[in-house]
């Protein structure tokens, strides 16, 4: 399994988030999960997310084009992590 973590600001957050996600996946019985932290673009805080929060259909506007670009839309969960 592959997981992409999209933090608010990866520069410091990645050092906390990645080990937490790895430990969580190991606890769930998925020790071979590959965890990557998105480093591009640098989102720089909550103000950068305001446009996304104001969007009526954020999944269709932002996630689906990204998932299609990464060729994961044909998977059963359309690229979403499901347990």
């Amino acid at each position: 399994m592959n997981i992409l973590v999209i933090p608010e600001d990866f520069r410091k957050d990645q050092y906390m988030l990645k080990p937490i996600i790895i430990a969580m996946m190991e606890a769930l019985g998925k020790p071979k999960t590959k965890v990557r932290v998105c480093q591009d673009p640098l989102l720089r805080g909550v103000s950068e997310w305001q446009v996304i929060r104001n969007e009526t259909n954020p999944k269709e506007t932002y996630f689906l084009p990204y998932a299609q670009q990464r060729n994961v839309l044909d998977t059963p969960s359309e690229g979403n992590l499901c347990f």
Side-chain angles (χ1 to χ4, degrees):
M1 176 182 291
N2 295 311
I3 295 179
L4 176 63
V5 179
I6 304 174
E8 199 173 339
D9 186 343
F10 75 88
R11 293 174 290 187
K12 293 182 182 175
D13 294 350
Q14 67 181 327
Y15 300 110
M16 290 188 310
L17 291 173
K18 188 172 181 178
I20 290 170
I21 300 297
I22 290 171
M24 180 181 74
M25 297 310 294
E26 287 175 355
L28 291 170
K30 304 280 187 182
K32 295 184 180 184
T33 300
K34 293 183 184 193
V35 178
R36 290 184 30 220
V37 178
C38 179
Q39 297 180 344
D40 184 28
L42 173 60
L43 299 173
R44 297 191 200 138
V46 175
S47 63
E48 297 289 325
W49 286 93
Q50 196 59 44
V51 173
I52 296 171
R53 289 175 181 256
N54 291 336
E55 178 62 46
T56 306
N57 299 306
K59 180 179 177 182
E60 289 78 10
T61 303
Y62 297 100
F63 176 74
L64 291 179
Y66 177 75
Q68 184 176 21
Q69 176 188 4
R70 299 198 38 95
N71 296 319
V72 295
L73 281 181
D74 293 332
T75 61
S77 62
E78 294 186 335
N80 292 317
L81 179 62
C82 297
F83 294 100

Coordinates of all heavy atoms in Angstrom, one line a residue:
M1 N 0.8 -1.2 0.0 CA 0.0 0.0 0.0 C 0.9 1.2 0.0 O 1.9 1.3 0.6 CB -0.9 0.0 1.2 CG -1.8 1.2 1.4 SD -2.8 1.3 2.9 CE -3.9 0.0 2.5
N2 N 0.5 2.3 -0.7 CA 1.2 3.5 -0.7 C 0.3 4.6 -0.1 O -0.9 4.7 -0.4 CB 1.5 3.9 -2.2 CG 2.5 3.0 -2.8 OD1 3.5 2.7 -2.2 ND2 2.2 2.5 -4.0
I3 N 0.9 5.5 0.7 CA 0.1 6.6 1.3 C 0.9 7.9 1.0 O 2.1 8.0 1.2 CB 0.0 6.4 2.8 CG1 -0.9 5.2 3.1 CG2 -0.6 7.7 3.5 CD1 -1.1 4.9 4.6
L4 N 0.2 8.9 0.6 CA 0.7 10.2 0.4 C 0.1 11.1 1.4 O -1.1 11.3 1.5 CB 0.4 10.8 -1.0 CG 0.8 12.2 -1.3 CD1 2.4 12.3 -1.2 CD2 0.3 12.6 -2.6
V5 N 1.0 11.7 2.3 CA 0.5 12.6 3.4 C 0.7 14.0 2.8 O 1.8 14.4 2.3 CB 1.4 12.4 4.6 CG1 0.9 13.3 5.7 CG2 1.3 10.9 5.1
I6 N -0.4 14.8 2.9 CA -0.3 16.2 2.4 C -0.4 17.1 3.6 O -1.5 17.4 4.1 CB -1.4 16.4 1.4 CG1 -1.3 15.4 0.3 CG2 -1.3 17.9 0.9 CD1 -2.5 15.5 -0.7
P7 N 0.7 17.5 4.2 CA 0.7 18.4 5.4 C 0.5 19.8 5.0 O 0.7 20.2 3.9 CB 2.0 18.1 6.0 CG 2.9 17.9 4.9 CD 2.1 17.1 3.9
E8 N 0.2 20.6 6.0 CA 0.0 22.0 5.8 C 1.4 22.7 5.4 O 1.4 23.5 4.5 CB -0.5 22.6 7.2 CG -1.1 24.0 7.0 CD -1.7 24.4 8.3 OE1 -2.0 23.6 9.2 OE2 -1.9 25.6 8.5
D9 N 2.4 22.3 6.1 CA 3.8 22.8 5.9 C 4.7 21.7 6.1 O 5.0 21.3 7.3 CB 4.1 24.0 6.7 CG 5.4 24.7 6.4 OD1 6.2 24.0 5.7 OD2 5.6 25.8 6.8
F10 N 5.2 21.0 5.1 CA 6.0 19.8 5.2 C 7.3 20.0 5.9 O 7.9 19.1 6.4 CB 6.2 19.2 3.8 CG 7.3 19.9 3.0 CD1 8.6 19.5 3.1 CD2 6.9 20.9 2.1 CE1 9.5 20.2 2.3 CE2 7.8 21.5 1.3 CZ 9.2 21.2 1.4
R11 N 7.9 21.3 5.9 CA 9.2 21.5 6.3 C 9.5 20.9 7.7 O 10.6 20.4 8.0 CB 9.6 22.9 6.2 CG 9.6 23.4 4.8 CD 9.9 24.9 4.7 NE 8.7 25.6 5.1 CZ 8.5 26.9 5.0 NH1 9.4 27.7 4.6 NH2 7.3 27.4 5.5
K12 N 8.6 21.1 8.6 CA 8.8 20.5 10.0 C 7.8 19.3 10.2 O 8.1 18.4 10.9 CB 8.6 21.6 11.0 CG 9.7 22.6 11.0 CD 9.5 23.6 12.1 CE 10.7 24.7 12.0 NZ 10.5 25.7 13.0
D13 N 6.6 19.5 9.7 CA 5.5 18.5 9.9 C 5.9 17.1 9.5 O 5.5 16.1 10.1 CB 4.2 18.9 9.2 CG 3.6 20.2 9.8 OD1 4.1 20.6 10.8 OD2 2.7 20.7 9.1
Q14 N 6.7 17.0 8.4 CA 7.1 15.6 7.9 C 7.8 14.8 8.9 O 7.6 13.6 8.9 CB 7.9 15.8 6.6 CG 9.3 16.4 6.8 CD 10.1 16.5 5.6 OE1 9.9 15.7 4.7 NE2 10.9 17.5 5.5
Y15 N 8.5 15.4 9.8 CA 9.3 14.6 10.8 C 8.4 14.1 11.9 O 8.8 13.2 12.6 CB 10.4 15.5 11.4 CG 11.4 16.0 10.3 CD1 11.4 17.3 9.9 CD2 12.2 15.0 9.6 CE1 12.3 17.7 8.9 CE2 13.0 15.4 8.6 CZ 13.1 16.8 8.2 OH 13.9 17.2 7.2
M16 N 7.2 14.6 12.0 CA 6.3 14.0 13.0 C 5.3 13.1 12.3 O 4.9 12.1 12.8 CB 5.5 15.2 13.7 CG 6.3 15.9 14.7 SD 5.4 17.1 15.7 CE 4.4 18.0 14.5
L17 N 4.8 13.6 11.1 CA 3.7 12.9 10.5 C 4.1 11.5 9.9 O 3.4 10.5 10.1 CB 3.1 13.7 9.3 CG 2.3 14.9 9.8 CD1 2.0 15.8 8.6 CD2 1.1 14.5 10.5
K18 N 5.2 11.4 9.3 CA 5.6 10.2 8.6 C 5.8 9.1 9.6 O 5.2 8.0 9.4 CB 6.9 10.4 7.8 CG 7.3 9.2 7.0 CD 8.4 9.5 6.0 CE 8.7 8.2 5.2 NZ 9.8 8.5 4.2
P19 N 6.5 9.3 10.8 CA 6.7 8.2 11.7 C 5.3 7.8 12.4 O 5.1 6.6 12.6 CB 7.6 8.7 12.8 CG 8.3 9.8 12.1 CD 7.4 10.4 11.1
I20 N 4.4 8.7 12.5 CA 3.1 8.4 13.1 C 2.3 7.6 12.2 O 1.7 6.6 12.6 CB 2.4 9.7 13.5 CG1 3.0 10.4 14.7 CG2 0.9 9.4 13.7 CD1 2.5 11.8 14.9
I21 N 2.3 7.9 10.9 CA 1.5 7.2 9.9 C 2.1 5.8 9.7 O 1.4 4.8 9.6 CB 1.5 7.9 8.5 CG1 0.8 9.3 8.7 CG2 0.8 7.1 7.5 CD1 -0.6 9.2 9.1
I22 N 3.5 5.7 9.7 CA 4.1 4.3 9.6 C 3.7 3.5 10.8 O 3.4 2.3 10.6 CB 5.7 4.5 9.5 CG1 6.0 5.1 8.1 CG2 6.3 3.2 9.7 CD1 7.5 5.5 8.0
A23 N 3.8 4.0 12.0 CA 3.4 3.3 13.2 C 2.0 2.9 13.2 O 1.6 1.7 13.6 CB 3.7 4.1 14.5
M24 N 1.1 3.8 12.7 CA -0.3 3.5 12.6 C -0.6 2.3 11.7 O -1.3 1.4 12.0 CB -1.1 4.7 12.2 CG -2.6 4.5 12.0 SD -3.4 6.0 11.5 CE -3.0 6.0 9.7
M25 N 0.1 2.3 10.5 CA -0.1 1.3 9.5 C 0.5 -0.1 10.0 O -0.1 -1.1 9.8 CB 0.6 1.7 8.2 CG -0.1 2.9 7.6 SD -1.9 2.8 7.4 CE -2.1 1.5 6.3
E26 N 1.6 0.0 10.8 CA 2.1 -1.3 11.3 C 1.2 -1.8 12.4 O 0.9 -3.0 12.4 CB 3.5 -1.0 12.0 CG 4.6 -0.8 11.0 CD 5.9 -0.4 11.6 OE1 6.0 -0.2 12.8 OE2 6.9 -0.2 10.9
A27 N 0.5 -1.0 13.2 CA -0.4 -1.4 14.2 C -1.7 -2.0 13.5 O -2.3 -2.9 14.1 CB -0.8 -0.3 15.1
L28 N -2.0 -1.6 12.3 CA -3.1 -2.1 11.5 C -2.7 -3.4 10.7 O -3.5 -3.9 9.9 CB -3.7 -1.0 10.6 CG -4.3 0.1 11.3 CD1 -4.6 1.2 10.3 CD2 -5.6 -0.3 12.0
G29 N -1.5 -3.8 10.9 CA -1.1 -5.0 10.2 C -0.6 -4.8 8.7 O -0.6 -5.7 7.9
K30 N -0.2 -3.6 8.4 CA 0.3 -3.2 7.1 C 1.8 -2.7 7.2 O 2.0 -1.5 6.9 CB -0.5 -2.1 6.5 CG -2.0 -2.5 6.4 CD -2.2 -3.4 5.2 CE -3.7 -3.6 5.0 NZ -4.0 -4.5 3.9
P31 N 2.7 -3.5 7.6 CA 4.1 -3.0 7.9 C 4.9 -2.6 6.6 O 5.9 -1.9 6.7 CB 4.8 -4.2 8.6 CG 4.0 -5.4 8.1 CD 2.6 -4.9 7.9
K32 N 4.4 -3.1 5.5 CA 5.2 -2.8 4.2 C 4.7 -1.5 3.5 O 5.1 -1.2 2.4 CB 5.1 -3.9 3.3 CG 5.8 -5.2 3.8 CD 5.9 -6.3 2.9 CE 6.6 -7.5 3.5 NZ 6.7 -8.6 2.5
T33 N 3.8 -0.8 4.2 CA 3.2 0.4 3.6 C 4.3 1.5 3.3 O 5.2 1.7 4.2 CB 2.2 1.0 4.5 OG1 1.1 0.1 4.7 CG2 1.6 2.3 3.9
K34 N 4.3 2.0 2.1 CA 5.2 3.1 1.8 C 4.5 4.4 2.0 O 3.5 4.7 1.5 CB 5.7 3.0 0.3 CG 6.5 1.7 0.1 CD 6.9 1.6 -1.3 CE 7.6 0.3 -1.4 NZ 8.4 0.0 -2.5
V35 N 5.2 5.3 2.8 CA 4.6 6.6 3.2 C 5.5 7.6 2.6 O 6.7 7.7 2.8 CB 4.5 6.7 4.7 CG1 4.0 8.1 5.1 CG2 3.6 5.6 5.3
R36 N 4.9 8.5 1.8 CA 5.6 9.7 1.3 C 4.9 11.0 1.8 O 3.7 11.0 2.0 CB 5.5 9.7 -0.2 CG 6.4 8.6 -0.8 CD 6.4 8.6 -2.4 NE 6.2 10.0 -2.9 CZ 5.5 10.2 -4.0 NH1 4.9 9.3 -4.6 NH2 5.5 11.5 -4.5
V37 N 5.7 12.0 2.0 CA 5.1 13.3 2.4 C 5.2 14.2 1.2 O 6.3 14.4 0.6 CB 5.9 13.9 3.6 CG1 5.4 15.2 4.0 CG2 5.8 12.9 4.8
C38 N 4.1 14.8 0.9 CA 4.1 15.8 -0.3 C 4.9 17.0 0.1 O 4.7 17.6 1.1 CB 2.6 16.2 -0.5 SG 2.5 17.4 -1.9
Q39 N 5.9 17.3 -0.8 CA 6.8 18.4 -0.6 C 6.6 19.5 -1.6 O 7.3 20.5 -1.6 CB 8.2 18.0 -0.5 CG 8.4 17.0 0.7 CD 9.9 16.6 0.8 OE1 10.7 16.7 -0.2 NE2 10.2 16.0 1.9
D40 N 5.7 19.2 -2.6 CA 5.5 20.2 -3.7 C 4.1 20.2 -4.1 O 3.6 19.1 -4.5 CB 6.4 19.9 -4.8 CG 6.3 20.9 -5.9 OD1 6.0 22.1 -5.6 OD2 6.5 20.6 -7.1
P41 N 3.3 21.2 -3.8 CA 3.7 22.5 -3.5 C 3.7 22.7 -2.0 O 3.1 21.9 -1.2 CB 2.5 23.4 -4.0 CG 1.3 22.5 -3.9 CD 1.9 21.1 -4.1
L42 N 4.5 23.7 -1.5 CA 4.5 24.1 -0.1 C 3.2 24.9 0.1 O 3.0 26.0 -0.5 CB 5.7 25.0 0.1 CG 5.8 25.6 1.5 CD1 5.8 24.5 2.6 CD2 7.1 26.4 1.7
L43 N 2.3 24.4 0.9 CA 1.0 25.0 1.1 C 1.0 26.2 2.0 O 0.1 27.1 1.9 CB 0.0 24.0 1.5 CG -0.2 22.8 0.5 CD1 -1.0 21.8 1.1 CD2 -0.7 23.4 -0.8
R44 N 1.9 26.3 2.9 CA 2.1 27.5 3.8 C 1.0 27.9 4.7 O 0.7 29.1 4.8 CB 2.5 28.7 2.9 CG 3.8 28.5 2.2 CD 4.3 29.7 1.6 NE 5.3 29.4 0.6 CZ 5.3 30.0 -0.6 NH1 4.5 31.0 -0.8 NH2 6.2 29.6 -1.4
G45 N 0.3 27.0 5.2 CA -0.7 27.3 6.2 C -2.1 27.3 5.8 O -2.5 27.1 4.7
V46 N -2.9 27.6 6.8 CA -4.4 27.6 6.7 C -4.9 28.5 5.6 O -5.8 28.2 4.9 CB -5.1 27.8 8.0 CG1 -6.6 27.9 7.9 CG2 -4.7 26.7 9.0
S47 N -4.3 29.7 5.5 CA -4.8 30.7 4.5 C -4.7 30.1 3.1 O -5.6 30.5 2.3 CB -3.9 32.0 4.6 OG -2.6 31.7 4.3
E48 N -3.8 29.3 2.8 CA -3.7 28.7 1.5 C -4.8 27.7 1.2 O -5.2 27.5 0.1 CB -2.3 27.9 1.3 CG -1.1 28.8 1.4 CD -1.0 29.7 0.2 OE1 -1.3 29.3 -0.9 OE2 -0.5 30.9 0.4
W49 N -5.4 27.1 2.3 CA -6.5 26.2 2.1 C -7.8 26.9 2.0 O -8.8 26.2 1.8 CB -6.5 25.2 3.3 CG -5.4 24.2 3.3 CD1 -4.2 24.3 3.9 CD2 -5.4 23.0 2.7 NE1 -3.4 23.2 3.7 CE2 -4.1 22.4 2.9 CE3 -6.3 22.3 1.9 CZ2 -3.8 21.1 2.4 CZ3 -6.0 21.0 1.4 CH2 -4.8 20.5 1.7
Q50 N -7.9 28.2 2.3 CA -9.2 28.8 2.3 C -9.9 28.7 1.0 O -11.1 28.5 0.9 CB -9.0 30.3 2.7 CG -10.3 31.0 3.1 CD -10.9 30.3 4.3 OE1 -10.3 29.9 5.3 NE2 -12.2 30.1 4.2
V51 N -9.2 28.8 -0.1 CA -9.8 28.6 -1.5 C -10.5 27.3 -1.6 O -11.6 27.1 -2.1 CB -8.8 28.9 -2.6 CG1 -9.4 28.6 -3.9 CG2 -8.2 30.3 -2.5
I52 N -9.7 26.2 -1.1 CA -10.3 24.9 -1.1 C -11.5 24.8 -0.2 O -12.5 24.2 -0.6 CB -9.2 23.8 -0.8 CG1 -8.1 23.9 -1.8 CG2 -9.8 22.4 -0.6 CD1 -6.9 23.1 -1.4
R53 N -11.4 25.3 0.9 CA -12.5 25.3 1.9 C -13.8 26.0 1.3 O -14.9 25.6 1.6 CB -12.2 25.9 3.2 CG -11.2 25.0 4.0 CD -10.8 25.8 5.2 NE -9.8 25.0 6.0 CZ -10.1 24.3 7.1 NH1 -11.3 24.3 7.6 NH2 -9.1 23.7 7.7
N54 N -13.6 27.0 0.5 CA -14.7 27.7 0.0 C -15.3 27.0 -1.2 O -16.4 27.4 -1.7 CB -14.3 29.2 -0.4 CG -14.0 30.0 0.8 OD1 -14.5 29.8 1.9 ND2 -13.2 31.0 0.6
E55 N -14.6 26.1 -1.8 CA -15.1 25.3 -3.0 C -16.3 24.5 -2.6 O -16.3 23.8 -1.6 CB -14.0 24.5 -3.5 CG -14.3 23.6 -4.7 CD -14.7 24.5 -5.9 OE1 -14.0 25.4 -6.2 OE2 -15.8 24.2 -6.5
T56 N -17.3 24.5 -3.4 CA -18.5 23.7 -3.2 C -18.3 22.2 -3.4 O -18.8 21.4 -2.6 CB -19.6 24.2 -4.2 OG1 -19.8 25.6 -4.1 CG2 -20.9 23.4 -3.9
N57 N -17.5 21.8 -4.4 CA -17.2 20.4 -4.6 C -15.7 20.2 -4.7 O -15.1 20.0 -5.7 CB -17.8 20.0 -6.0 CG -19.3 20.1 -6.0 OD1 -20.0 19.6 -5.1 ND2 -19.8 20.9 -7.0
P58 N -15.0 20.3 -3.5 CA -13.5 20.2 -3.5 C -13.0 18.9 -4.1 O -12.0 18.9 -4.7 CB -13.2 20.4 -2.0 CG -14.4 20.0 -1.3 CD -15.6 20.4 -2.2
K59 N -13.7 17.8 -3.8 CA -13.2 16.5 -4.3 C -13.1 16.5 -5.8 O -12.1 16.1 -6.4 CB -14.0 15.3 -3.8 CG -13.5 14.0 -4.3 CD -14.4 12.8 -3.8 CE -13.9 11.5 -4.4 NZ -14.7 10.4 -4.0
E60 N -14.2 16.9 -6.5 CA -14.3 17.0 -7.9 C -13.3 18.0 -8.5 O -12.7 17.8 -9.5 CB -15.7 17.3 -8.4 CG -16.7 16.2 -8.2 CD -17.2 16.0 -6.7 OE1 -16.9 16.9 -5.9 OE2 -17.8 15.0 -6.4
T61 N -13.1 19.1 -7.8 CA -12.3 20.2 -8.3 C -10.8 19.9 -8.1 O -10.0 20.1 -9.0 CB -12.6 21.5 -7.7 OG1 -14.0 21.8 -7.9 CG2 -11.8 22.6 -8.2
Y62 N -10.4 19.3 -7.0 CA -9.0 19.2 -6.7 C -8.5 17.7 -6.7 O -7.5 17.4 -7.2 CB -8.7 19.8 -5.3 CG -8.9 21.3 -5.3 CD1 -10.1 21.8 -4.8 CD2 -8.0 22.2 -5.9 CE1 -10.3 23.2 -4.8 CE2 -8.2 23.5 -5.9 CZ -9.4 24.0 -5.4 OH -9.6 25.4 -5.4
F63 N -9.3 16.8 -6.0 CA -8.8 15.5 -5.9 C -8.9 14.7 -7.1 O -7.9 14.0 -7.5 CB -9.5 14.8 -4.7 CG -9.1 13.3 -4.6 CD1 -7.8 13.0 -4.1 CD2 -9.9 12.3 -5.1 CE1 -7.4 11.7 -4.0 CE2 -9.5 11.0 -5.0 CZ -8.2 10.7 -4.4
L64 N -10.0 14.7 -7.8 CA -10.2 13.8 -8.9 C -9.2 14.1 -10.1 O -8.7 13.1 -10.6 CB -11.7 13.9 -9.4 CG -12.7 13.3 -8.5 CD1 -14.1 13.4 -9.1 CD2 -12.4 11.8 -8.2
P65 N -8.9 15.3 -10.4 CA -7.9 15.5 -11.5 C -6.5 15.0 -11.0 O -5.8 14.4 -11.8 CB -7.8 17.1 -11.6 CG -9.2 17.5 -11.2 CD -9.6 16.6 -10.1
Y66 N -6.2 15.2 -9.7 CA -4.9 14.7 -9.2 C -4.9 13.2 -9.3 O -3.9 12.6 -9.7 CB -4.7 15.2 -7.8 CG -3.4 14.7 -7.2 CD1 -2.2 15.2 -7.6 CD2 -3.4 13.7 -6.2 CE1 -1.0 14.7 -7.0 CE2 -2.3 13.2 -5.7 CZ -1.1 13.7 -6.1 OH 0.1 13.2 -5.5
A67 N -5.9 12.5 -8.8 CA -6.0 11.1 -8.8 C -6.0 10.5 -10.3 O -5.3 9.5 -10.5 CB -7.3 10.6 -8.1
Q68 N -6.6 11.2 -11.2 CA -6.6 10.8 -12.6 C -5.2 10.9 -13.2 O -4.7 10.0 -13.9 CB -7.6 11.7 -13.4 CG -7.7 11.2 -14.8 CD -8.7 12.0 -15.6 OE1 -9.0 13.1 -15.2 NE2 -9.2 11.5 -16.7
Q69 N -4.5 12.0 -12.8 CA -3.1 12.2 -13.3 C -2.2 11.0 -12.8 O -1.3 10.6 -13.4 CB -2.6 13.5 -12.8 CG -1.1 13.8 -13.1 CD -0.6 15.1 -12.4 OE1 -1.4 15.7 -11.6 NE2 0.6 15.4 -12.7
R70 N -2.5 10.5 -11.6 CA -1.7 9.5 -11.0 C -2.2 8.1 -11.3 O -1.7 7.1 -10.8 CB -1.6 9.6 -9.4 CG -0.9 11.0 -9.1 CD -0.4 11.1 -7.7 NE 0.2 10.0 -7.1 CZ 1.5 9.7 -7.1 NH1 2.3 10.5 -7.7 NH2 2.0 8.6 -6.5
N71 N -3.2 8.0 -12.2 CA -3.8 6.7 -12.6 C -4.3 5.8 -11.5 O -4.0 4.6 -11.5 CB -2.8 6.0 -13.5 CG -2.4 6.7 -14.7 OD1 -3.3 7.2 -15.4 ND2 -1.1 6.7 -15.1
V72 N -5.0 6.4 -10.5 CA -5.5 5.6 -9.4 C -7.1 5.7 -9.4 O -7.7 5.1 -8.5 CB -5.0 6.1 -8.0 CG1 -3.5 5.8 -7.9 CG2 -5.3 7.5 -7.8
L73 N -7.7 6.3 -10.4 CA -9.1 6.4 -10.4 C -9.8 5.0 -10.7 O -10.9 4.8 -10.3 CB -9.6 7.4 -11.4 CG -9.5 8.9 -10.9 CD1 -10.1 9.8 -12.0 CD2 -10.3 9.1 -9.6
D74 N -9.1 4.1 -11.3 CA -9.6 2.8 -11.6 C -9.5 1.8 -10.5 O -10.0 0.7 -10.6 CB -8.9 2.2 -12.9 CG -9.2 3.1 -14.1 OD1 -10.3 3.7 -14.2 OD2 -8.4 3.1 -15.0
T75 N -8.9 2.2 -9.4 CA -8.9 1.3 -8.2 C -10.2 1.3 -7.5 O -11.0 2.2 -7.7 CB -7.7 1.8 -7.2 OG1 -8.0 3.1 -6.8 CG2 -6.4 1.8 -7.9
P76 N -10.5 0.3 -6.7 CA -11.8 0.2 -6.1 C -12.2 1.4 -5.2 O -13.3 1.8 -5.2 CB -11.7 -1.0 -5.2 CG -10.6 -1.9 -5.9 CD -9.7 -0.9 -6.5
S77 N -11.2 2.1 -4.6 CA -11.5 3.2 -3.7 C -11.2 4.6 -4.4 O -11.2 5.6 -3.8 CB -10.7 3.1 -2.4 OG -9.3 3.2 -2.7
E78 N -10.9 4.5 -5.7 CA -10.6 5.7 -6.5 C -9.5 6.5 -5.9 O -9.5 7.8 -5.9 CB -11.8 6.6 -6.6 CG -12.9 6.1 -7.5 CD -14.0 7.1 -7.7 OE1 -14.2 8.0 -6.9 OE2 -14.7 6.9 -8.7
G79 N -8.5 5.8 -5.3 CA -7.3 6.5 -4.8 C -7.5 7.0 -3.3 O -6.5 7.4 -2.7
N80 N -8.7 6.8 -2.7 CA -8.9 7.1 -1.3 C -8.4 6.0 -0.5 O -8.6 4.8 -0.8 CB -10.3 7.4 -1.1 CG -10.8 8.7 -1.7 OD1 -10.1 9.7 -1.7 ND2 -12.0 8.6 -2.3
L81 N -7.9 6.3 0.7 CA -7.5 5.3 1.7 C -8.7 4.8 2.4 O -9.5 5.5 3.0 CB -6.5 5.8 2.6 CG -6.0 4.9 3.7 CD1 -5.3 3.7 3.1 CD2 -5.1 5.6 4.7
C82 N -9.0 3.5 2.3 CA -10.2 2.9 2.9 C -9.7 1.7 3.8 O -8.9 0.9 3.4 CB -11.2 2.4 1.9 SG -11.8 3.7 0.8
F83 N -10.3 1.6 5.0 CA -10.0 0.5 5.9 C -11.2 -0.3 6.0 O -12.3 0.0 6.1 CB -9.6 1.0 7.2 CG -8.3 1.7 7.2 CD1 -8.2 3.1 7.2 CD2 -7.1 1.0 7.2 CE1 -7.0 3.8 7.2 CE2 -5.9 1.7 7.1 CZ -5.9 3.1 7.1

